[in-house]
Amino acid sequence: MAEKSKILIIGGTGYIGKFIVEASAKAGHPTYALVRESTITDPAKAKIIDNFKALGVHLVPGDFNDHDNLLKAIKQVDVVISTVGHLQLTDQLKVIAAIKEAGNVKRFFPSEFGNEVYGVNAVEPAKSMFDVKDQIRRTIEAEGIPYTHINTYAFDGFFLPTLAQPGARGPPPPTDRVIILGDGNHKAIFNEEEDIGTYTIRAVDDPRTLNKVLYLRLPNNIYSVNELVALWEKKMGKTLEKIYVPEEKLLKDIEEEPFPINMGLAISHTVFVKGDPTNFEIDPSFGVEASELYPDVNYTTVEEYLDRFV
């Protein structure tokens, strides 16, 4: 059996990063996490750090701004996965420069982990975020660095406990009324975070995902918000009052709300009002679908996720 790639995860203590670190270690990859010194000793991150240590993850102190340390970390591995948040997307240019200088990396996964970058109907401030991701893609290609982009769509933990209501708190999902953006009919895609980690790591050594976009269009996880609400109503045996927010009202709210509230609303607009996750067919010349490549992965369905709250 071929030796498994050594993987460096940047942003591994963040929301989605910790799932990818765990998936990498559990899959038997020598796993390294670039972590700030302050994060290693941060009590708020202690549980995550302790879990990494228990899994045998190598903690590499450093950050974007320490080029020498970043370069040293990259030279130890075969694959680099970035899971940084949207405020740090441009810092990935420093990672690209270090990967280029190191010359040993056989695959780079930039921080996408959301919607497809091309062809989105995004408004500001989400538009600028997608533009930066596009810039990162183009820079990777220009530098001749092998890559895989991961489109994960909506995280279950963010959206399902609230039935995709912006600003709402959950769990549990609502039991009396629900706010729905637009007409609620556009299809979205919801994926569980552990599954995102699993599919990402499965792609690492797979030649079929080299220089491709891996789309997590898992067939049992594609729902409109109206369908999602109906599924929840069926599970709890009760009909919810539905309040629909017209697109014009949502766009006005995006203009008036401060950051980061407006960012969340703008992302919800492109996903749930414009239906961008499902408004195109995957072009096999540059894209592949996760459940088709890895039919053996027993992923968590939307229905199974909602069962946790019944």
Side-chain angles (χ1 to χ4, degrees):
M1 181 180 292
E3 185 176 342
K4 292 193 174 185
S5 293
K6 298 176 183 177
I7 301 175
L8 173 68
I9 294 102
I10 300 173
T13 61
Y15 181 77
I16 197 62
K18 60 183 178 290
F19 294 99
I20 294 173
V21 171
E22 185 167 334
S24 175
K26 287 183 174 179
H29 289 272
T31 303
Y32 299 75
L34 187 73
V35 185
R36 293 188 185 94
E37 290 273 12
S38 59
T39 300
I40 295 175
T41 58
D42 183 355
K45 296 287 187 177
K47 185 176 180 181
I48 295 172
I49 296 297
D50 288 345
N51 184 48
F52 287 178
K53 291 177 179 177
L55 291 168
V57 175
H58 303 277
L59 300 179
V60 182
D63 60 32
F64 293 118
N65 298 314
D66 186 345
H67 176 76
D68 291 341
N69 208 38
L70 178 61
L71 183 63
K72 182 180 177 182
I74 289 171
K75 285 183 175 180
Q76 298 180 66
V77 301
D78 308 300
V79 173
V80 178
I81 301 175
S82 173
T83 63
V84 299
H86 61 265
L87 294 177
Q88 295 179 296
L89 290 174
T90 55
D91 285 329
Q92 293 179 113
L93 294 172
K94 300 173 185 177
V95 178
I96 293 170
I99 289 173
K100 184 71 173 178
E101 182 176 344
N104 61 290
V105 171
K106 67 180 186 181
R107 192 90 64 100
F108 178 42
F109 291 63
S111 186
E112 297 223 354
F113 302 103
N115 289 338
E116 173 54 64
V117 170
Y118 299 137
V120 294
N121 294 284
V123 298
E124 294 294 355
K127 182 180 183 300
S128 291
M129 178 188 69
F130 288 117
D131 288 345
V132 172
K133 289 185 176 184
D134 180 41
Q135 177 195 9
I136 295 298
R137 282 191 180 189
R138 293 180 185 277
T139 303
I140 292 167
E141 293 172 4
E143 294 292 351
I145 296 170
Y147 64 85
T148 299
H149 304 308
I150 307 285
N151 281 182
T152 61
Y153 305 106
F155 299 153
D156 280 3
F158 273 13
F159 291 98
L160 293 189
T162 65
L163 301 186
Q165 294 183 101
R169 292 186 178 183
T175 56
D176 50 5
R177 69 173 191 167
V178 60
I179 296 172
I180 299 173
L181 302 179
D183 62 15
N185 289 328
H186 288 289
K187 300 280 189 179
I189 305 168
F190 304 87
N191 289 312
E192 203 267 343
E193 289 82 347
E194 290 185 1
D195 294 330
I196 290 170
T198 297
Y199 284 114
T200 300
I201 299 305
R202 287 291 292 270
V204 162
D205 288 324
D206 189 343
R208 298 173 297 176
T209 62
L210 179 62
N211 296 334
K212 300 275 189 177
V213 182
L214 179 64
Y215 297 94
L216 271 63
R217 282 192 180 181
L218 311 182
N220 292 320
N221 289 349
I222 302 173
Y223 284 79
S224 70
V225 175
N226 283 335
E227 291 170 337
L228 185 65
V229 170
L231 178 61
W232 176 241
E233 288 176 328
K234 181 180 178 181
K235 287 187 176 297
M236 70 171 183
K238 180 181 178 182
T239 300
L240 297 176
E241 176 190 358
K242 300 168 187 66
I243 301 171
Y244 289 89
V245 178
E247 182 178 9
E248 294 75 15
K249 173 66 166 61
L250 176 59
L251 290 172
K252 188 171 185 295
D253 290 343
I254 292 170
E255 289 182 356
E256 295 177 351
E257 292 289 350
F259 185 88
I261 295 173
N262 59 352
M263 176 64 83
L265 291 175
I267 292 172
S268 292
H269 174 260
T270 183
V271 173
F272 302 115
V273 177
K274 292 301 185 182
D276 286 338
T278 56
N279 68 4
F280 64 95
E281 297 295 325
I282 295 174
D283 184 337
S285 68
F286 64 80
V288 288
E289 200 283 313
S291 65
E292 294 179 0
L293 291 189
Y294 314 113
D296 58 305
V297 174
N298 185 26
Y299 65 87
T300 299
T301 67
V302 165
E303 184 163 6
E304 290 168 342
Y305 195 93
L306 288 180
D307 281 339
R308 301 174 186 178
F309 308 124
V310 175

